Structure formats: structure tokens, C-alpha cells
Amino acid sequence: MIGVAIPVTWSPQFVARCEVNWLPGSVLTTLAVVMAWAAFIWSGSISTIWPMFGIANQLLAAVALCVATTVIINMGKARYCWVTIAPLSFVATTTLVAGWESIRDIFWPQAQTAATSTQGYINTSLTVLIMTAAVIVLIDSVRRWVGGRRPTELTPESALAEA
């Protein structure tokens, strides 16, 4: 469904019909996404972005663990937050280091080669972007955990709403 928003940027005609269930828009954007993936496969470059997908997947897990830790603390059960902080610290540390090494050893050398420079710059910038976003979430979560404790216990629903 991410591809459904693509026609809006292509033409003002689609803005009036910005509906998720609009069949022509769904078909066109699905076709665009499938063709983009086909271009990666045909060019043989899918193997170069595979490490970036792994980094993004693990950073998404770290963000989910941040949210889970925030919910646990907001529920007044801070003594159990180690259950999510332990894997969070492992996943975040190893993934950020692996991301840095992928940039240094895979993507940046690609950017320095004339034949793959565009691909290298795109992979480098996207990896830096997702790593930066994850670090921002991590820092904000820690700030919230340290400074955001409340003396009263919250219900599970309100704790989830504040996460």
C-alpha cells in the first residue's frame, strides 16, 4: 500500500482521486513498485542492497523494543524493563556497528567507482538515513525513560497511548 501514494506526486489529476481503494491508482502504483524491483533484479544490483534491508529490519526491531520498553515503564513496571532493554542494547549496538561497516566496506567503495557511483551514493545515503532515524528514536526513548517516570501507575491502554 506504500505505492498507492506515488501517483499523487506524478500529476495533479490524481490529487482529486486520492483514495486508497481507487483501482487505477492501486494498479499503477503496484506496477511502478514491481517494475522498480524488476529493475534491481535485472541489473543484478539486488545483492548490493540486501545488507541495507538487513540493517533496516534489525533497526526496526530496535525501535519496536524501544516502544515496548516505554510501555513497560509507563505502566509502572519499570523493574521489568530489563526484559526489553537487554535485547535492545544488543540489537542496536550490533546493527549500528554492522551498518557503519557496510557503509565503509560496501556502499562507499561502490560510490567511488564510476560504474556504480549512483548506486553507491543512494545506498550510502539511505543507510545513513535509517541509522540516523534509529539513533534519534533511541536517544529520545532514553530521555523519556530517565526523565519521564511518573509516580502514579497508568492503565495499559493509557501507557500504550503515551508510547
Side-chain angles (χ1 to χ4, degrees):
M1 293 308 284
I2 292 172
V4 173
I6 293 174
V8 173
T9 61
W10 287 345
S11 170
Q13 298 169 357
F14 289 111
V15 174
R17 293 192 151 271
C18 188
E19 300 175 17
V20 177
N21 296 330
W22 186 50
L23 186 61
S26 297
V27 169
L28 285 174
T29 54
T30 300
L31 183 64
V33 170
V34 168
M35 292 307 294
W37 272 106
F40 276 130
I41 292 170
W42 288 327
S43 69
S45 62
I46 190 118
S47 62
T48 61
I49 63 170
W50 197 251
M52 187 172 55
F53 287 148
I55 293 165
N57 184 39
Q58 295 304 310
L59 289 176
L60 179 62
V63 168
L65 287 166
C66 284
V67 171
T69 304
T70 304
V71 168
I72 289 170
I73 291 172
N74 285 345
M75 288 176 53
K77 308 283 186 186
R79 66 182 175 269
Y80 298 114
C81 69
W82 65 270
V83 172
T84 52
I85 289 178
L88 168 63
S89 59
F90 176 76
V91 169
T93 303
T94 57
T95 306
L96 289 172
V97 169
W100 170 252
E101 289 180 356
S102 291
I103 290 169
R104 187 188 65 205
D105 299 337
I106 300 171
F107 303 140
W108 191 248
Q110 270 185 342
Q112 304 308 309
T113 305
T116 59
S117 65
T118 302
Q119 186 178 20
Y121 284 122
I122 290 171
N123 289 345
T124 299
S125 60
L126 290 177
T127 303
V128 167
L129 179 70
I130 59 176
M131 288 173 62
T132 303
V135 167
I136 290 170
V137 169
L138 285 165
I139 290 170
D140 191 51
S141 295
V142 170
R143 183 191 58 81
R144 173 87 177 179
W145 302 335
V146 172
R149 293 189 181 163
R150 299 172 187 240
T152 59
E153 286 194 21
L154 300 173
T155 63
E157 292 81 21
S158 64
L160 186 59
E162 290 201 18

